[in-house]
Amino acid sequence: MSTEMSRSKSQAVYSFLPHMWVASRGDAQSVTAEIIGWNYLKMDNIYQNFIEGEIKRQIRLFGNRGGDISSFNINDGEHSFTIVEPAMNDTVQDITGRKSPLVFYCNSCHRAFEERNPQDIDLAHWECPNCHKSGVKQLQMIYSCECGHAEPVKIPYVRNGSKDIQYRPNDGRRGAYHMYVKNNGKEDTLELAIKCPSCGQRLTLDNAESSRNYKPFSLKIINIADTKNGEFFEKGIDAQKTLVSKWLGKLSQEKFLEILDNIPLAFSASNTNDAKRKEAEKAIDQMITAGMMPEAMREAAISKMLGVTTENALSVEPYTSYCDKIFAKRKKEDEESYKHWIENFSFKLMQYNTLKYAPKVLTLEDSISKQLSMDFIDSREDITDLNERMGISSMQVSCDIEVINCSYGFTRKTSDPHLAKKRLKLVAFDHYKDNVSNLVYGTKLETEGILFEIDRVKILDWFLKNEIITEEQMPDTEDEVAVKEWFSENVHSELVNIFSGVDDGEKITKNVLALLHSISHAFIKTAGEISGLEDTSLTEVILLETTSIFIYAQTSQGTPLGALSGMIETNYYNFLQKALEETKNCIFDPICLERDDTACSACLILPEICCEFFNHDLGRKYLYTLKDNKDTKKPCLLYTSPSPRDS
């Protein structure tokens, strides 16, 4: 059976992956099939190490949580994954599958029978071999196990060889899980349960298409913008530390662009001689301590002592040293852990930079000017006041952004090792042609999206009001760099995974994620309604350390239609008002209101294809004062003050 690419390429990495069962519904009978594989080609114009590093990090987290990751090689410095995409060949199907299960039953006489091969199934002429009526249906059920094994249902072995086996799905509460056979005039029950051939666990039937049977592990990654940025990031730890220093204000965007234009010089050995640098730093720091020199002259004095001239002033060394100095305590405690943290942090910062400095940007000022010219708003304060009230410190539309969606493995029954009955296995896909690296199934999407940055000082105030932190833990909120340092130190996004919520012990990280995630879903729901895009056409990337949310279009054609940029340009005020006023209430209140998470499909929960975190760590309680919920957070200006009825 060939499975058409009827959905977008982006949806394929969730909905049409190897070793999952899917349904094909056309003019003929519905039939399920097991996906066998893709007709693929290796994805080009991507930065393999950039993506592979994040895949390995997620797999490590799964293993740290008790999951089985024996199918993967996650050793640093080794090539373990090859990212592929549909070949889009006109003469060959991109995704193929085989009809499965091969068990059928008659809806009239209930006779069950099994075909030997998928080729024996005639979809156009399904006729019961017993009563010759046409009401034949496929028994679309399978067995799946937490160890990764899965197989289609088969007719149980019968000792006397009787062919008079019946399946009566509506015969009582357990009819769907049994078959019946006549034996010497007596009807015996055949239970449709098996022992897993891999681990011995008892398996019962489930719907072949059920999401319980296949949990894809996928990532959404903002691809590095161009070859210069890619070449820079490939320089490794020194480049990563430089990105951190840039985020902390040590390096301007203009200077960074100069470095990108002179990468060999910036990373040359003469400019990164650690021993010489440390000697100079020590001497100058002693002079500063003795009062012989002001702190502000430190870098200039070090450069002079090292003989740095205009020609070699683009060295990244001052920025790598600055990063090590700021996070000296973390580095001293565990240098290997510090290295992995820098890798993760810089990975997020590179994505943030790509979004912030996109090839084409529509700014907040552009939006305000357009709406003023069309008399959609009376003054710029109509929008800026709402932005302030909702804690949005910055907003822009970033265009011509390339997003990589990729799936690198799957589990069955659950995605969280802590919820498994036995040891949950993360299953790798087959090997690439090199017989070394595992396949990663991906797609590239060029799109546009809205980048929101949420005010970090307001988040800190929110933390303080809700006793998540104490007054002593607060940084100097008048110092932007101090606030950024605080989030860098205390928000541990390296511990955030896609398969489970953040542990309660990570109180700060959990609340930052829950807050940003809840705002993101509120914005996605509102943007979908205003822009006219379907529910599954919008999705998110959340960058915790920068407190940023990127909402972007993933249309069925795989290309943006300008819906989001058009909405922001002419309808941003209405978008803000609607998001502010309508997200608070849910049509399922008070039931939803009384739930621990205060989130359901009618208010904040989105289809899994739209959500980066499987709808974990969400809730209206993070955004509003909900009087009837005991866990609600105290309000601040972050999203909205309480309504009169909640006062």
Side-chain angles (χ1 to χ4, degrees):
M1 174 184 177
S2 294
T3 303
E4 295 283 353
M5 284 286 289
S6 57
R7 304 190 190 185
S8 74
K9 289 174 67 177
S10 292
Q11 288 176 311
V13 299
Y14 299 97
S15 306
F16 293 95
L17 290 166
H19 313 301
M20 73 186 302
W21 274 261
V22 299
S24 174
R25 297 180 176 88
D27 296 333
Q29 292 271 20
S30 166
V31 62
T32 57
E34 180 184 3
I35 298 296
I36 304 303
W38 288 19
N39 174 35
Y40 61 77
L41 51 81
K42 189 173 180 180
M43 193 180 288
D44 58 7
N45 296 322
I46 60 172
Y47 293 91
Q48 174 74 29
N49 294 342
F50 186 63
I51 299 172
E52 188 165 334
E54 177 63 6
I55 292 173
K56 288 180 178 179
R57 187 183 73 84
Q58 288 288 343
I59 294 172
R60 285 191 192 100
L61 288 172
F62 186 89
N64 294 341
R65 203 166 170 82
D68 181 352
I69 56 173
S70 58
S71 298
F72 297 91
N73 171 17
I74 56 172
N75 295 331
D76 289 333
E78 294 185 24
H79 172 55
S80 308
F81 301 93
T82 297
I83 303 164
V84 300
E85 62 181 337
M88 303 298 286
N89 190 322
D90 291 339
T91 60
V92 181
Q93 294 294 336
D94 288 296
I95 299 175
T96 59
R98 61 184 170 211
K99 300 180 189 104
S100 173
L102 301 181
V103 175
F104 297 82
Y105 66 96
C106 177
N107 212 28
S108 298
C109 70
H110 305 296
R111 176 66 65 86
F113 60 96
E114 188 170 354
E115 299 287 4
R116 291 187 177 184
N117 300 297
Q119 294 80 3
D120 296 336
I121 301 171
D122 186 347
L123 298 180
H125 302 92
W126 277 4
E127 184 179 282
C128 174
N130 183 49
C131 70
H132 303 291
K133 292 184 178 180
S134 59
V136 172
K137 294 184 177 181
Q138 182 188 32
L139 183 51
Q140 297 175 343
M141 303 186 86
I142 67 167
Y143 303 99
S144 68
C145 185
E146 291 170 341
C147 74
H149 176 78
E151 62 179 80
V153 63
K154 296 180 177 65
I155 292 180
Y157 170 75
V158 179
R159 262 182 202 176
N160 66 3
S162 172
K163 300 294 183 184
D164 189 10
I165 298 173
Q166 293 193 346
Y167 178 70
R168 305 194 288 267
N170 300 317
D171 187 11
R173 185 172 63 88
R174 295 179 57 80
Y177 305 101
H178 293 82
M179 286 185 178
Y180 306 90
V181 61
K182 288 185 178 178
N183 188 7
N184 297 326
K186 178 184 174 184
E187 188 173 76
D188 292 333
T189 300
L190 302 173
E191 185 180 13
L192 296 176
I194 66 170
K195 183 181 287 189
C196 176
S198 297
C199 71
Q201 191 167 338
R202 184 176 183 273
L203 305 180
T204 55
L205 284 176
D206 199 355
N207 188 319
E209 288 186 273
S210 171
S211 62
R212 290 185 297 273
N213 296 319
Y214 196 94
K215 302 284 187 181
F217 276 53
S218 303
L219 296 171
K220 301 182 185 83
I221 296 174
I222 308 300
N223 198 22
I224 296 177
D226 52 38
T227 54
K228 287 182 180 179
N229 279 275
E231 185 183 349
F232 173 83
F233 198 80
E234 293 286 337
K235 290 296 184 180
I237 191 68
D238 285 342
Q240 294 159 8
K241 291 177 181 177
T242 301
L243 285 172
V244 174
S245 292
K246 180 179 185 295
W247 169 245
L248 296 177
K250 186 68 175 175
L251 174 65
S252 68
Q253 175 66 7
E254 292 72 26
K255 195 71 173 179
F256 180 65
L257 293 176
E258 283 187 54
I259 288 174
L260 292 185
D261 287 333
N262 297 275
I263 288 175
L265 176 63
F267 288 90
S268 67
S270 61
N271 276 341
T272 55
N273 188 320
D274 286 344
K276 289 183 179 179
R277 173 82 189 187
K278 287 176 180 177
E279 284 180 15
E281 285 180 342
K282 184 178 179 181
I284 298 302
D285 286 342
Q286 286 174 348
M287 294 175 70
I288 293 172
T289 303
M292 300 169 64
M293 181 183 298
E295 174 74 29
M297 292 181 61
R298 182 178 186 273
E299 286 302 323
I302 291 171
S303 296
K304 186 175 181 180
M305 183 173 286
L306 291 172
V308 176
T309 64
T310 304
E311 181 183 354
N312 62 14
L314 291 173
S315 170
V316 298
E317 209 285 329
Y319 311 116
T320 63
S321 296
Y322 177 77
C323 179
D324 286 338
K325 181 182 177 182
I326 293 295
F327 302 109
K329 182 179 177 183
R330 182 191 284 259
K331 183 180 180 184
K332 185 177 180 181
E333 287 175 351
D334 188 338
E335 188 153 359
E336 189 63 25
S337 174
Y338 172 69
K339 177 176 174 288
H340 282 301
W341 173 73
I342 288 290
E343 287 173 351
N344 173 68
F345 191 10
S346 62
F347 171 78
K348 301 296 175 60
L349 291 175
M350 180 57 88
Q351 293 182 87
Y352 169 82
N353 287 345
T354 301
L355 297 172
K356 188 72 173 177
Y357 305 103
K360 180 182 175 184
V361 169
L362 187 152
T363 67
L364 176 64
E365 288 303 320
D366 294 334
S367 173
I368 291 173
S369 297
K370 185 73 172 182
Q371 288 170 86
L372 281 171
S373 69
M374 300 176 73
D375 293 328
F376 288 169
I377 56 175
D378 295 326
S379 69
R380 70 186 312 277
E381 284 73 25
D382 289 349
I383 287 178
T384 57
D385 287 352
L386 271 176
N387 258 10
E388 169 73 15
R389 187 179 176 193
M390 298 170 74
I392 301 170
S393 60
S394 173
M395 185 285 301
Q396 68 178 56
V397 176
S398 301
C399 304
D400 301 333
I401 296 297
E402 196 168 70
V403 182
I404 309 295
N405 290 334
C406 57
S407 294
Y408 54 89
F410 64 91
T411 60
R412 299 195 188 273
K413 311 310 284 183
T414 182
S415 59
D416 185 354
H418 280 187
L419 301 179
K421 295 177 182 177
K422 291 192 173 182
R423 195 178 185 206
L424 185 66
K425 184 170 185 176
L426 180 57
V427 183
F429 294 119
D430 295 335
H431 284 102
Y432 183 59
K433 300 168 187 177
D434 58 11
N435 290 321
V436 174
S437 57
N438 291 112
L439 287 168
V440 174
Y441 293 93
T443 61
K444 275 190 293 189
L445 174 73
E446 188 172 295
T447 187
E448 66 175 19
I450 314 167
L451 177 64
F452 297 96
E453 292 184 55
I454 306 303
D455 193 317
R456 284 174 285 279
V457 173
K458 289 191 174 181
I459 294 176
L460 285 166
D461 290 340
W462 184 74
F463 279 170
L464 193 61
K465 288 179 181 178
N466 287 281
E467 299 179 354
I468 295 166
I469 61 174
T470 63
E471 190 74 53
E472 291 71 28
Q473 292 175 287
M474 283 280 284
D476 179 1
T477 54
E478 299 295 322
D479 184 342
E480 182 183 358
V481 174
V483 171
K484 286 184 174 182
E485 282 182 30
W486 190 94
F487 276 85
S488 302
E489 286 277 20
N490 292 282
V491 178
H492 302 143
S493 74
E494 71 274 15
L495 301 179
V496 175
N497 59 68
I498 63 168
F499 48 84
S500 68
V502 178
D503 292 337
D504 291 337
E506 287 290 329
K507 189 164 59 170
I508 293 174
T509 304
K510 186 178 183 69
N511 279 280
V512 172
L513 174 60
L515 179 64
L516 296 179
H517 198 196
S518 301
I519 293 173
S520 175
H521 279 218
F523 284 0
I524 286 175
K525 289 256 187 182
T526 305
E529 292 174 18
I530 293 181
S531 68
L533 293 171
E534 297 178 0
D535 285 348
T536 57
S537 295
L538 294 172
T539 187
E540 65 192 351
V541 170
I542 296 175
L543 304 172
L544 291 192
E545 287 91 346
T546 64
T547 61
S548 304
I549 300 163
F550 183 62
I551 295 168
Y552 66 91
Q554 52 173 10
T555 65
S556 58
Q557 294 81 21
T559 55
L561 303 175
L564 291 180
S565 56
M567 180 192 76
I568 293 298
E569 190 171 29
T570 63
N571 219 358
Y572 184 51
Y573 175 72
N574 287 336
F575 165 81
L576 292 176
Q577 275 201 318
K578 190 176 182 68
L580 182 66
E581 295 169 2
E582 296 187 14
T583 305
K584 181 173 183 179
N585 301 310
C586 176
I587 60 172
F588 292 128
D589 284 338
I591 296 172
C592 180
L593 191 65
E594 293 168 355
R595 290 167 53 104
D596 289 340
D597 56 4
T598 61
C600 71
S601 58
C603 51
L604 287 184
I605 289 178
L606 296 171
E608 283 190 356
I609 190 174
C610 303
C611 179
E612 190 177 6
F613 300 104
F614 284 98
N615 286 303
H616 293 301
D617 294 312
L618 279 173
R620 288 179 292 148
K621 65 183 180 182
Y622 294 99
L623 307 180
Y624 303 95
T625 298
L626 302 174
K627 188 176 179 181
D628 296 327
N629 184 276
K630 61 183 176 60
D631 294 324
T632 193
K633 304 298 179 189
K634 294 176 184 176
C636 68
L637 288 176
L638 187 72
Y639 204 74
T640 180
S641 54
S643 63
R645 68 179 182 182
D646 287 332
S647 299

